Amino acid sequence: MKKRTVIVGAIVLFFSTSLLFQSCNKIKDLVAFDVNKPLPTQKFEIDSASASAKGDILLYESSFYINLDSILAANDISAAKISNSKFKKILLSIVNPSATRQFGFASHLSVKLSTNDQFDNAELIASASNIKPGDSTITFKMENIPLDKYIEQSTFYYRLYGSIISPVPVTKLAVEMQSAVQFTVKPLK
């Protein structure tokens, strides 16, 4: 009888411990929160001289910065793990579009990210195809690439590539890139 009581007690202890650990994990998940962050608008010019050759060429490169410390501080968190991160949108628009200021010079545009400015580990994260003469706004299709490693380091780098089919119609084509990211913050403590 005593042996049976010990076995039943062990089983009850096992299940109650399992429920306790599941509850702790659920509490951690409840503390996690999603961030939808529009990035600052990037304004730049595509130079017709550097985009004069036909084929796939680099049109522009720069970086994004996400102040993760500020997001954590605003939520009273000292350390966190980033997950489920992705670009929600990348939109490229011509400033003051006209018949000569349009994207018809390219048939395809793409955006690649890298953790460093040497681009040795660049990944394709968005692309736009079937660009037609007269298009002044391009909405990129996002690849299913997690951005956790980029967002965790706050500054990451991008390059805009284009498949050039005709000359850029003006000497300097002013464009702006609007983008937004989304990610989940899971506090570590």
Side-chain angles (χ1 to χ4, degrees):
M1 182 76 166
K2 211 174 199 186
K3 191 174 187 182
R4 186 179 211 165
T5 306
V6 171
I7 292 173
V8 170
I11 292 172
V12 169
L13 181 62
F14 172 75
F15 283 115
S16 60
T17 305
S18 296
L19 290 175
L20 177 65
F21 284 126
Q22 283 181 343
S23 297
C24 289
N25 285 337
K26 287 180 183 178
I27 289 170
K28 285 181 186 175
D29 287 342
L30 290 176
V31 177
F33 59 94
D34 291 331
V35 174
N36 291 307
K37 178 95 175 125
L39 299 173
T41 299
Q42 301 258 335
K43 296 182 181 195
F44 56 92
E45 293 178 336
I46 297 174
D47 186 349
S48 63
S50 63
S52 59
K54 289 186 178 183
D56 292 338
I57 63 165
L58 174 64
L59 296 175
Y60 185 74
E61 69 180 78
S62 189
S63 62
F64 290 115
Y65 174 72
I66 296 175
N67 192 341
L68 194 54
D69 291 336
S70 167
I71 293 168
L72 297 180
N75 289 282
D76 202 25
I77 298 169
S78 59
K81 176 77 176 140
I82 303 302
S83 63
N84 304 322
S85 58
K86 63 182 178 182
F87 266 98
K88 287 183 66 173
K89 77 169 186 176
I90 297 178
L91 187 71
L92 193 64
S93 301
I94 293 178
V95 177
N96 300 320
S98 68
T100 55
R101 292 187 172 134
Q102 43 84 22
F103 285 116
F105 62 89
S107 62
H108 179 85
L109 295 172
S110 61
V111 178
K112 291 185 179 182
L113 288 186
S114 178
T115 55
N116 62 58
D117 60 0
Q118 299 304 307
F119 286 87
D120 3 289
N121 58 354
E123 292 182 275
L124 176 69
I125 56 113
S127 59
S129 299
N130 300 322
I131 299 168
K132 299 172 192 66
D135 286 351
S136 60
T137 300
I138 305 294
T139 302
F140 286 81
K141 179 183 178 263
M142 302 299 124
E143 299 292 326
N144 193 17
I145 304 290
L147 302 176
D148 301 352
K149 66 183 176 186
Y150 300 107
I151 292 175
E152 285 176 346
Q153 73 178 38
S154 294
T155 300
F156 51 99
Y157 303 86
Y158 75 90
R159 283 183 173 170
L160 174 66
Y161 292 92
S163 294
I164 306 303
I165 56 175
S166 65
V168 176
V170 292
T171 307
K172 302 274 187 184
L173 184 62
V175 297
E176 33 179 63
M177 179 187 287
Q178 296 175 334
S179 54
V181 294
Q182 161 183 321
F183 53 94
T184 300
V185 176
K186 293 183 180 179
L188 294 176
K189 294 181 180 181

